């Protein structure tokens, strides 16, 4: 399955998507100077950053990393340095392709505003654009692209989830977790995209900052010898504002959640923009690194402290 998706379906999906981009550039629906919607007239960077949570790229990368490593091992690559190099290469290629895809989709959406109004979600907008260019054949074209995109993402995420949880909860087993994840995904998918986005956003507002609290320190791990205390403090300092961001994003609010949100927004810097976790996360990281430096100096002065 991994070989089939990697060699054939993923490239086919990318070819179809870039074909739409090329057609749109040759026959644009409108100019690229459309006026942005209200949310992006001010604080466009933070709004775009938070909307990026819906891609789940950071969350998926934590799970996909395991899949990539095991796939490389399945191909006969067992040397840790070679695994690291190949993982970095695949990550860089993914970043370039994802960047190109996002820029293309942004251009498509902007040009389409000359002909269509603001859509409820990106799926509707992309369908309108493709149908505008290719008619009824475009709907089949769109269905094929969606099918390929869903299969490639779903297979990777379900396999990654099952791999991780089968290790943590081995009684259910890998196949058992595959069945559970597939069934829950099938049920959830039938609620519709708007409903899914509305109810997953609070969870993403909690989980995304926590994932970044693990990813960003990992990129700087050489400065603190990958000590666990740095990750722990960064995560703890990040978790509290992330929880408030999740409460703030709930689609249903009551008196308690409104009061908590108002206190949070007026107390924590950048909380009104949805990124109130930034300063606490940086504080936790700095405290963790300082602790490692101080502990290292004390250990050098008194070696008995290292035991």
């Amino acid at each position: 399955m991994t070989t089939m998706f990697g060699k054939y379906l993923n490239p086919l999906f990318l070819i179809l998507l870039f074909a739409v981009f090329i057609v749109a550039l040759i026959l644009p629906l409108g100019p690229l100077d459309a006026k942005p919607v209200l949310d992006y007239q001010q604080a466009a960077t933070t709004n775009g950053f938070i909307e990026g949570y819906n891609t789940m790229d950071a969350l998926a990368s934590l799970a996909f990393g395991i899949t990539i490593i095991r796939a490389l091992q399945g191909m006969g690559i067992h040397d840790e340095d070679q695994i690291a190099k190949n993982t970095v290469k695949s990550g860089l290629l993914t970043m370039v392709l994802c960047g190109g895809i996002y820029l293309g989709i942004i251009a498509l959406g902007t040009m389409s505003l000359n002909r269509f109004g603001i859509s409820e979600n990106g799926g509707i907008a992309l369908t309108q654009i493709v149908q505008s260019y290719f008619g009824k054949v475009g709907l089949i074209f769109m269905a094929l692209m969606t099918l390929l995109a869903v299969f490639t993402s779903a297979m990777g995420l379900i396999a990654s989830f099952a791999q991780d949880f089968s290790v943590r909860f081995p009684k259910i087993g890998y196949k058992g977790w595959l069945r559970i994840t597939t069934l829950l995904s099938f049920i959830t998918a039938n609620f519709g995209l708007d409903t899914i986005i509305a109810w997953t956003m609070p969870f993403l507002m909690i989980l995304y900052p926590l994932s970044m609290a693990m990813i960003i320190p990992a990129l700087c791990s050489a400065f603190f010898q990958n000590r666990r205390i740095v990750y722990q403090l960064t995560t703890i300092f990040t978790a509290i504002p992330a929880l408030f961001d999740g409460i703030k994003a709930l689609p249903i609010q009551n008196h308690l959640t409104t009061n908590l949100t108002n206190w949070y927004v007026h107390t924590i810097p950048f909380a009104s923009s949805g990124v109130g976790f930034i300063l606490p996360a940086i504080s936790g990281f700095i405290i963790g690194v300082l602790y490692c430096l101080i502990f290292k100096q004390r250990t050098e002065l008194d070696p008995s402290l290292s035991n």
Side-chain angles (χ1 to χ4, degrees):
M1 288 287 288
T2 303
T3 301
M4 182 182 70
F5 275 84
K7 284 188 175 181
Y8 304 110
L9 294 187
N10 264 331
L12 180 58
F13 166 70
L14 293 175
I15 290 170
L16 292 176
L17 189 60
F18 278 100
V20 175
F21 294 160
I22 293 171
V23 172
L25 288 174
I26 296 173
L27 301 170
L29 294 174
L32 283 169
D33 58 353
K35 185 178 180 181
V37 295
L38 184 61
D39 289 343
Y40 288 89
Q41 291 178 15
Q42 295 180 346
T45 301
T46 52
N47 282 321
F49 183 77
I50 293 172
E51 283 296 321
Y53 288 6
N54 288 321
T55 66
M56 300 191 186
D57 286 344
L59 293 174
S61 67
L62 293 172
F64 277 152
I66 300 171
T67 301
I68 292 171
I69 291 171
R70 293 188 177 179
L72 291 171
Q73 290 172 342
M75 296 176 182
I77 302 174
H78 298 286
D79 181 74
E80 291 186 1
D81 290 339
Q82 288 299 317
I83 290 175
K85 288 179 181 179
N86 282 280
T87 303
V88 170
K89 288 179 181 178
S90 63
L92 290 173
L93 178 61
T94 301
M95 289 171 60
V96 172
L97 290 176
C98 281
I101 289 171
Y102 291 146
L103 287 174
I105 290 175
I106 290 170
L108 279 177
T110 303
M111 292 187 291
S112 71
L113 292 176
N114 186 57
R115 185 170 301 183
F116 307 109
I118 301 295
S119 303
E120 293 182 6
N121 57 66
I124 295 174
L126 189 57
T127 301
Q128 291 175 334
I129 293 167
V130 172
Q131 186 177 12
S132 174
Y133 280 118
F134 303 104
K136 291 183 178 180
V137 177
L139 295 178
I140 300 174
F141 184 74
M142 180 67 188
L144 180 60
M145 283 203 307
T146 303
L147 191 65
L148 292 175
V150 169
F151 263 127
T152 53
S153 298
M155 190 200 76
L157 285 171
I158 290 173
S160 300
F161 187 93
Q163 285 172 355
D164 190 37
F165 272 72
S166 63
V167 173
R168 298 178 183 275
F169 307 99
K171 289 186 178 181
I172 297 178
Y174 176 68
K175 290 186 177 179
W177 282 112
L178 278 179
R179 296 186 182 100
I180 292 171
T181 309
T182 303
L183 178 62
L184 292 176
S185 299
F186 173 78
I187 294 172
T188 305
N190 284 279
F191 287 104
L193 183 59
D194 290 336
T195 303
I196 292 172
I197 291 175
W199 283 101
T200 55
M201 200 61 197
F203 296 100
L204 294 177
M205 294 297 289
I206 297 172
L207 295 176
Y208 239 86
L210 294 178
S211 67
M212 286 185 279
M214 291 185 285
I215 293 172
I216 295 175
L219 298 175
C220 310
S221 59
F223 295 103
F224 55 89
Q225 289 76 48
N226 207 31
R227 294 284 297 278
R228 182 179 296 181
I229 187 66
V230 178
Y231 294 98
Q232 291 173 335
L233 288 174
T234 306
T235 302
I236 291 171
F237 276 66
T238 303
I240 298 173
L243 180 61
F244 278 101
D245 279 328
I247 294 172
K248 180 184 171 187
L250 285 170
I252 298 176
Q253 298 284 335
N254 56 34
H255 182 70
L256 176 61
T257 57
T258 301
N259 287 338
L260 286 173
T261 298
N262 288 335
W263 174 85
Y264 172 63
V265 168
H266 292 94
T267 304
I268 305 299
F270 309 119
S272 59
S273 301
V275 288
F277 68 92
I278 289 180
L279 289 182
I282 294 174
S283 300
F285 177 75
I286 292 174
I287 293 172
V289 173
L290 289 176
Y291 173 85
C292 292
L293 293 174
I294 294 170
F295 185 80
K296 180 180 178 182
Q297 291 178 352
R298 290 180 62 193
T299 303
E300 290 174 349
L301 293 173
D302 186 358
S304 65
L305 293 172
S306 62
N307 296 325

